[in-house]
């Protein structure tokens, strides 16, 4: 891999990224409301997945708490949506998730492997049942209405959150903290030995990733009009990011983005076409991708890229060899 | 430079260090030798902040460091190079080394330090882009040592750097540890390879069952009947 090829590939990526961005910004002007809402849904999954990968990807701590942070965002929106402007509600939703993650992080990040995953999953249920109890005994409400927001606004807000998240994920990856997170995943004790403040780094990254999940919850709540704790804290949103990240591949930043985009689109397409069998088809796709795509879609693409390149090289070598032997024969 | 006074430490209810005192002066190579289970690694973990002593004090550069977190101790200039193989397997040699420069003050000078480390370990420069998991045992040890030096330490603690290495590499490791003097780095060397260790050490301590049993210059200990009988098989 020489340097020139690397930078030119980066340039292609940047140009592609800007083109996609322009396309997305202009989208509401020439497509239907249904498509915009579908895109919002896809963006939602992408943001949750990229946030999840931000922490769980490099460190290997598999968090199943995404649904808890998502739900906190949703509930913030339901409770404060009537009295505060939307941008403020979104930021508050993110901050609530941030602080919940800080608290949980301080308590649980001493746990490793399975224990951490199980605890984070328990957190979803814990928050859900606490809220249920609170709503029934203290506020006498079972569900809440959320103020509807223009779908085009929702779309632009989601796009903005996505871009900010992408930028932050990119900056973390490039900085020494990205490498430090990876070193925690590879050998936590050695990471502590070389002077990394392991606990602080883990807790803060976990909280930052939760912030974004919270903001998305706050925005998307406006699409659902009615929510209650059971709807808001659906464990489905804990498992989806894990599946999508595995499906896309976590080695690169664009892996989870592409994985989540395809997966979310697939979900929508399958639900509309095979409403009774879509879960079955979903399951089969998942099993196949785990069995045959250990590095996800991105891993597959990289392999194909390598094969194409090495194929070119082989053809080139063959040509040269033929020319060489031809000359030798002439000489003889 | 480093001073331990009357350290007692426990693993649960079992006492593993008994009233230990130890001193390392600037620019010295001090060795700590002893058999398996004598408490050498426990002692190093206590110094670098991974464990805290039940009683006694640890001070470094005149400041109490017992009770501080490992990363703040590293930032003060004390580097602990754990037993071999503890490198980050799926990161390249270069990334491993860069991570060694993680503390704030070291990060700013990492390119410069990297050059120096490559001078000490030319082998690592050859393998710069390779994943650490593909290195041989000796190379991994070199990498762990190089990574420890990347934080620009004043004092380096080595935990059995020669463990599991071929005899030729063992000599190489001791040569390198000895050469750190020229870079102004003080060394606390923990080893089971008693002969080589005592040959390069200015002073040495012998640890048995969590207690210091002997103390003296490297040459003195090499001549002592006790060490000859118990550790050198003479």
């Amino acid at each position: 891999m020489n340097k020139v090829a690397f930078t030119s590939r980066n340039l292609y990526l940047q140009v592609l990224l800007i083109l996609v961005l322009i396309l997305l910004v202009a989208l509401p002007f020439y497509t239907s409301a249904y498509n915009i809402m579908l895109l919002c849904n896809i963006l939602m999954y992408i943001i949750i997945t990229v946030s999840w990968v931000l922490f769980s990807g490099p460190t290997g701590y598999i968090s199943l708490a995404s649904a808890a942070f998502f739900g906190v965002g949703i509930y913030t929106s339901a409770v404060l949506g009537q009295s505060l402007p939307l941008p403020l509600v979104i930021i508050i939703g993110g901050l609530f998730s941030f602080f919940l993650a800080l608290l949980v992080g301080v308590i649980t990040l001493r746990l490793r492997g399975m224990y951490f995953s199980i605890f984070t999953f328990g957190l979803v249920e814990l928050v859900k049942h606490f809220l249920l109890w609170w709503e029934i005994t203290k506020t006498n409400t079972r569900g809440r209405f959320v103020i509807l927001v223009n779908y085009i606004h929702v779309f632009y807000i989601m796009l903005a959150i996505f871009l900010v998240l992408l930028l932050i994920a990119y900056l973390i990856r490039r900085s020494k903290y990205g490498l430090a997170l990876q070193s925690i995943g590879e050998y936590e004790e050695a990471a502590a030995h070389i002077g990394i403040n392991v606990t602080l780094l883990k807790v803060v990254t976990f909280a930052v990733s939760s912030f974004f999940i919270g903001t998305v919850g706050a925005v998307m709540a406006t699409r659902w009009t009615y929510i209650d704790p059971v709807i808001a804290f659906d464990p489905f949103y804990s498992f989806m990011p894990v599946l999508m990240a595995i499906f896309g591949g976590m080695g690169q930043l664009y892996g989870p983005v592409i994985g989540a985009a395809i997966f979310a689109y697939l979900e929508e397409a399958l639900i509309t076409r095979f409403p009774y069998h879509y879960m079955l088809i979903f399951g089969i796709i998942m099993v196949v991708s785990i069995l045959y795509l250990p590095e996800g879609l991105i891993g597959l693409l990289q392999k194909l890229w390598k094969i194409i390149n090495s194929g070119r090289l082989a053809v080139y070598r063959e040509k040269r060899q033929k020319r060489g032997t031809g000359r030798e024969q002439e000489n003889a | 430079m480093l001073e331990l006074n009357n350290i007692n430490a426990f693993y649960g209810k079992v006492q593993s260090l008994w009233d230990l005192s130890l001193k390392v002066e600037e620019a010295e190579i001090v060795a700590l030798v002893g058999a398996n289970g004598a408490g050498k690694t426990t002692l190093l973990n206590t110094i670098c902040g991974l464990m805290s002593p039940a009683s006694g004090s640890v001070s470094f550069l005149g400041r109490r460091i017992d009770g501080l977190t490992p990363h703040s101790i590293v930032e003060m200039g004390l580097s602990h190079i754990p037993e071999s193989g503890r490198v980050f397997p799926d990161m390249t040699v270069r990334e491993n080394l860069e991570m060694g420069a993680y503390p704030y003050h070291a990060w700013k000078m990492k390119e410069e330090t990297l050059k120096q480390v490559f001078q000490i370990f030319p082998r690592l420069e050859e393998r710069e882009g390779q994943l650490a998991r593909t290195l041989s045992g000796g190379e991994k040890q070199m990498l762990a040592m190089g990574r420890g030096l990347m934080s620009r330490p004043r004092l380096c603690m080595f935990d059995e750097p020669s463990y599991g290495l071929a005899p030729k590499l063992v000599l190489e490791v001791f040569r390198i540890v000895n050469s750190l003097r020229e870079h102004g780095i003080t060394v606390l060397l923990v080893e089971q390879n008693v002969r080589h260790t005592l040959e390069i050490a200015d002073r040495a301590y012998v640890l048995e069952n969590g207690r210091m049993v002997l103390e003296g210059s490297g040459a003195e200990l090499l001549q002592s009947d006790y060490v000859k009988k118990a550790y050198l098989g003479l």
Side-chain angles (χ1 to χ4, degrees):
Chain A
M1 209 200 278
N2 57 33
K3 232 178 184 169
V4 183
F6 182 67
T7 46
S8 71
R9 224 180 88 196
N10 255 4
L11 194 72
Y12 285 142
L13 264 178
Q14 275 169 11
V15 171
L16 194 74
L17 216 73
I18 291 169
L19 280 180
V20 169
L21 194 65
I22 293 171
L23 208 73
L24 282 175
V25 171
L27 209 59
F29 298 108
Y30 56 82
T31 190
S32 66
Y34 170 78
N35 282 342
I36 296 296
M37 278 189 258
L38 172 62
L39 220 63
C40 283
N41 230 13
I42 292 177
L43 276 173
M44 172 189 83
Y45 280 123
I46 292 179
I47 295 169
I48 297 178
T49 307
V50 173
S51 308
W52 181 83
V53 170
L54 191 67
F55 171 72
S56 293
T59 61
Y61 279 78
I62 306 299
S63 156
L64 291 178
S66 313
F69 304 123
F70 191 60
V72 165
I74 293 175
Y75 241 83
T76 311
S77 199
V79 175
L80 300 178
Q82 265 119 343
S83 45
L84 292 174
L86 187 63
L88 200 60
V89 171
I90 293 168
I91 289 172
I92 294 174
L95 285 179
F96 274 142
S97 292
F98 182 89
F99 288 114
L100 178 65
L102 270 190
L103 185 74
V104 172
V106 169
I107 303 169
T108 62
L109 282 170
R110 288 173 200 286
L111 304 172
R112 291 197 190 170
M114 277 286 278
Y115 303 99
F116 175 75
S117 302
I118 302 283
F119 187 95
T120 51
F121 186 61
L123 181 73
V124 180
E125 297 298 313
L126 185 78
V127 180
K128 184 205 298 182
H129 286 285
F130 172 75
L131 264 181
L132 260 178
W133 169 80
W134 180 269
E135 294 281 59
I136 291 168
T137 59
K138 305 283 172 187
T139 60
N140 294 319
T141 45
R142 180 61 173 75
R144 285 168 184 273
F145 288 100
V146 187
I147 289 192
L148 209 65
V149 177
N150 183 332
Y151 68 92
I152 292 180
H153 290 172
V154 171
F155 174 72
Y156 281 128
I157 292 170
M158 293 293 278
L159 201 59
I161 296 175
F162 171 60
L163 290 177
V164 173
L165 170 64
L166 218 54
L167 184 71
I168 285 180
Y170 176 73
L171 289 178
I172 289 180
R173 246 172 206 258
R174 270 196 40 184
S175 74
K176 67 174 186 175
Y177 302 106
L179 215 51
L181 283 168
Q182 197 191 335
S183 71
I184 291 174
E186 291 191 16
Y187 214 135
E188 190 160 346
E189 210 175 304
H193 269 299
I194 58 175
I196 296 173
N197 190 342
V198 176
T199 314
L200 183 74
L201 192 61
K202 280 191 298 187
V203 172
V204 170
T205 314
F206 187 50
V208 168
S209 109
S210 308
F211 173 84
F212 286 98
I213 302 180
T215 57
V216 173
V219 184
M220 288 309 282
T222 62
R223 302 302 316 145
W224 291 329
T225 61
Y226 172 82
I227 58 125
D228 66 26
V230 179
I231 299 175
F233 294 86
D234 186 346
F236 183 72
Y237 294 105
S238 282
F239 292 110
M240 285 318 265
V242 186
L243 297 182
M244 288 174 169
I246 292 173
F247 183 67
M250 287 181 267
Q252 302 285 335
L253 196 55
Y254 50 90
V257 175
I258 293 172
I262 294 178
F263 220 76
Y265 178 75
L266 212 66
E267 189 200 8
E268 181 75 15
L270 288 175
I271 285 183
T272 45
R273 247 158 265 172
F274 311 99
Y276 300 108
H277 301 108
Y278 97 94
M279 269 303 196
L280 186 70
I281 302 172
F282 230 43
I284 292 171
I285 293 172
M286 207 54 232
V287 169
V288 169
S289 63
I290 284 177
L291 281 179
Y292 297 104
L293 302 175
E295 269 128 45
L297 277 182
I298 290 308
L300 183 73
L301 287 180
Q302 280 169 343
K303 248 182 233 163
L304 285 178
W305 180 252
K306 253 186 203 164
I307 290 170
I308 292 168
N309 270 355
S310 64
R312 254 191 230 153
L313 218 66
V315 170
Y316 175 69
R317 267 200 208 118
E318 217 169 280
K319 267 188 192 163
R320 238 175 51 172
Q321 225 166 18
K322 263 186 194 163
R323 226 182 288 151
T325 49
R327 244 175 241 152
E328 270 162 35
Q329 279 166 350
E330 266 170 35
N331 286 348
Chain B
M1 187 174 213
L2 179 74
E3 205 175 329
L4 274 69
N5 283 316
N6 312 96
I7 294 285
N8 286 292
F10 293 80
Y11 268 121
K13 280 184 178 168
V14 184
Q15 185 157 9
S16 51
L17 299 178
W18 303 75
D19 201 33
L20 275 185
S21 296
L22 177 151
K23 214 174 197 177
V24 181
E25 301 291 352
E26 180 115 37
E28 262 189 326
I29 294 185
V30 174
L32 185 69
V33 296
N36 264 336
K40 295 171 300 195
T41 302
T42 313
L43 185 60
L44 289 193
N45 283 343
T46 308
I47 297 173
C48 79
L50 285 175
M51 285 175 65
S52 47
S55 66
S57 70
V58 184
S59 42
F60 178 58
L61 299 171
R63 252 183 77 191
R64 282 281 291 261
I65 59 167
D66 48 297
L68 291 186
T69 50
H71 65 92
S72 45
I73 294 175
V74 174
E75 264 163 37
M76 286 176 69
L78 199 155
S79 179
H80 177 191
I81 289 115
E83 282 165 278
S84 66
R86 294 202 174 171
V87 292
F88 304 120
D90 286 321
M91 284 160 59
T92 63
V93 167
R94 196 195 169 89
E95 286 170 339
N96 264 280
L97 290 172
E98 284 184 348
M99 269 294 92
Y102 185 84
Y104 180 70
H105 66 279
W107 188 258
K108 288 183 293 191
M109 307 177 74
K110 80 173 155 58
E111 293 305 321
E112 208 184 311
T113 324
L114 198 63
K115 271 186 206 141
Q116 292 169 1
V117 168
F118 280 154
Q119 256 171 24
I120 302 173
F121 304 99
R123 189 87 182 162
L124 294 181
E125 189 165 17
E126 289 165 29
R127 313 250 167 206
E128 199 181 341
Q130 225 171 293
L131 290 185
R133 67 159 69 247
T134 63
L135 298 181
S136 72
E139 289 164 346
K140 274 184 193 151
Q141 181 58 50
M142 307 266 168
L143 181 55
M145 290 167 80
R147 192 182 61 191
L149 293 176
M150 286 298 291
S151 65
R152 304 185 72 89
R154 304 273 306 269
L155 172 72
C156 247
M157 305 195 294
F158 292 97
D159 195 354
E160 305 209 3
S162 77
Y163 182 78
L165 297 186
K168 213 175 144 190
L169 281 171
V170 171
L171 289 179
E172 176 72 7
V173 164
F174 279 107
R175 189 189 63 73
I176 288 166
V177 170
N178 204 7
S179 76
L180 291 181
R181 258 189 243 263
E182 294 149 27
H183 296 266
I185 296 169
T186 311
V187 172
L188 176 60
L189 177 61
V190 165
E191 261 296 339
Q192 289 201 56
N193 191 327
V194 176
R195 178 186 294 277
H196 288 306
T197 307
L198 292 183
E199 272 168 10
I200 65 163
D202 298 313
R203 285 187 308 111
Y205 294 87
V206 179
L207 193 63
E208 260 173 33
N209 298 323
R211 292 180 175 87
M212 287 299 186
V213 291
L214 265 182
E215 182 191 336
S217 75
E220 262 169 39
L221 288 187
L222 264 180
Q223 295 307 318
S224 94
D225 287 336
Y226 181 81
V227 171
K228 272 185 181 170
K229 211 170 144 195
Y231 294 97
L232 301 173
L234 296 174

